Amino acid sequence: QKEVEQDPGPLSVPEGAIVSLNCTYSNSAFQYFMWYRQYSRKGPELLMYTYSSGNKEDGRFTAQVDKSSKYISLFIRDSQPSDSATYLCAMVLRTGNQFYFGTGTSLTVIP
Amino acid sequence: DGGITQSPKYLFRKEGQNVTLSCEQNLNHDAMYWYRQDPGQGLRLIYYSQIVNDFQKGDIAEGYSVSREKKESFPLTVTSAQKNPTAFYLCASYTWDGANYGYTFGSGTRLTVV
């Protein structure tokens, strides 16, 4: 079983839709959870960072962590064509500095 | 601006050749990483280094080598022993001070075997 599971998609939505991206994980020791956005042929850039359980909001983006279910989500409200990218979830142990990545979900927002 | 610079952006390798990918950072980060990205497989860790003159193998180190002679630099050599080197290679750096962290990626090098 992989440490982190992420549905690769592809996911295609109309502009203005609410997008939900999800990852599950197996190691209950993960403490820090991140979402990265990667445009084609570019390096990933950090979108959201959360510690432990709960929600965090930044503009149109909301990151949610449910440690009891070992499940994290990224919600994108009012999606825009510029949101079209691959979204990678990542997580790290409390004492570690090695990141565990999901395989990424490819998102296309259609104008 | 601080960041990570990877070069070249595109690289072509002939069969049997060794090639070196450059990674330089001016973020004063201690730890640096090399990942390989293939479609549908996500990011796979090749090597990482937490301090100068020290590095560790990741999950797919075979056919690769690295050095860390300076804090700012972490070059990756793809040797002829790597049988399937065509991929997108990403360098990253990381710092953790107990309260905040930074994990920054370079813009990547696309290596193609010709």
Side-chain angles (χ1 to χ4, degrees):
Chain A
Q1 184 185 8
K2 285 185 178 178
E3 296 269 12
V4 182
E5 300 275 1
Q6 183 175 11
D7 186 340
L11 187 59
S12 185
V13 302
E15 183 175 354
I18 296 174
V19 176
S20 172
L21 304 167
N22 311 295
C23 288
T24 58
Y25 61 94
S26 57
N27 191 340
S28 58
F30 285 131
Q31 289 284 340
Y32 302 95
F33 305 90
M34 289 134 284
W35 286 95
Y36 285 83
R37 178 175 61 196
Q38 185 177 21
Y39 291 113
S40 181
R41 302 175 190 245
K42 300 288 187 185
E45 55 179 338
L46 181 66
L47 257 186
M48 300 285 288
Y49 156 62
T50 53
Y51 169 71
S52 197
S53 284
N55 291 2
K56 185 174 183 178
E57 191 172 316
D58 184 2
R60 296 185 295 111
F61 298 91
T62 299
Q64 192 172 78
V65 175
D66 182 349
K67 292 198 74 181
S68 63
S69 301
K70 299 193 186 75
Y71 190 86
I72 68 171
S73 300
L74 177 71
F75 298 96
I76 307 174
R77 291 182 298 281
D78 188 24
S79 56
Q80 303 294 310
S82 59
D83 296 328
S84 298
T86 295
Y87 290 81
L88 297 142
C89 64
M91 42 202 81
V92 64
L93 300 168
R94 181 177 61 85
T95 56
N97 57 17
Q98 183 177 339
F99 281 46
Y100 294 82
F101 288 91
T103 53
T105 299
S106 175
L107 171 68
T108 300
V109 180
I110 302 167
Chain B
D1 284 336
I4 296 182
T5 301
Q6 286 187 245
S7 61
K9 192 173 179 69
Y10 299 97
L11 187 56
F12 297 91
R13 192 194 93 168
K14 293 182 180 179
E15 296 281 354
Q17 266 187 343
N18 291 356
V19 290
T20 297
L21 283 59
S22 171
C23 178
E24 303 278 333
Q25 56 106 351
N26 60 4
L27 300 164
N28 200 33
H29 287 175
D30 293 309
M32 296 185 74
Y33 302 79
W34 275 105
Y35 287 91
R36 171 179 171 144
Q37 189 174 36
D38 297 280
Q41 295 202 49
L43 294 169
R44 293 186 290 168
L45 182 64
I46 305 172
Y47 267 99
Y48 65 100
S49 168
Q50 294 182 307
I51 57 172
V52 174
N53 292 323
D54 185 57
F55 46 83
Q56 308 294 329
K57 292 182 179 180
D59 301 317
I60 56 164
E62 186 175 348
Y64 300 97
S65 66
V66 293
S67 63
R68 186 85 187 277
E69 297 176 2
K70 300 186 299 181
K71 189 175 185 178
E72 301 79 19
S73 179
F74 190 40
L76 173 74
T77 297
V78 184
T79 75
S80 56
Q82 171 49 239
K83 298 306 178 189
N84 185 24
T86 295
F88 190 52
Y89 291 86
L90 286 161
C91 179
S93 70
Y94 166 86
T95 190
W96 168 250
D97 64 7
N100 299 293
Y101 81 99
Y103 203 82
T104 306
F105 284 93
S107 56
T109 293
R110 185 164 297 278
L111 173 63
T112 304
V113 173
V114 296

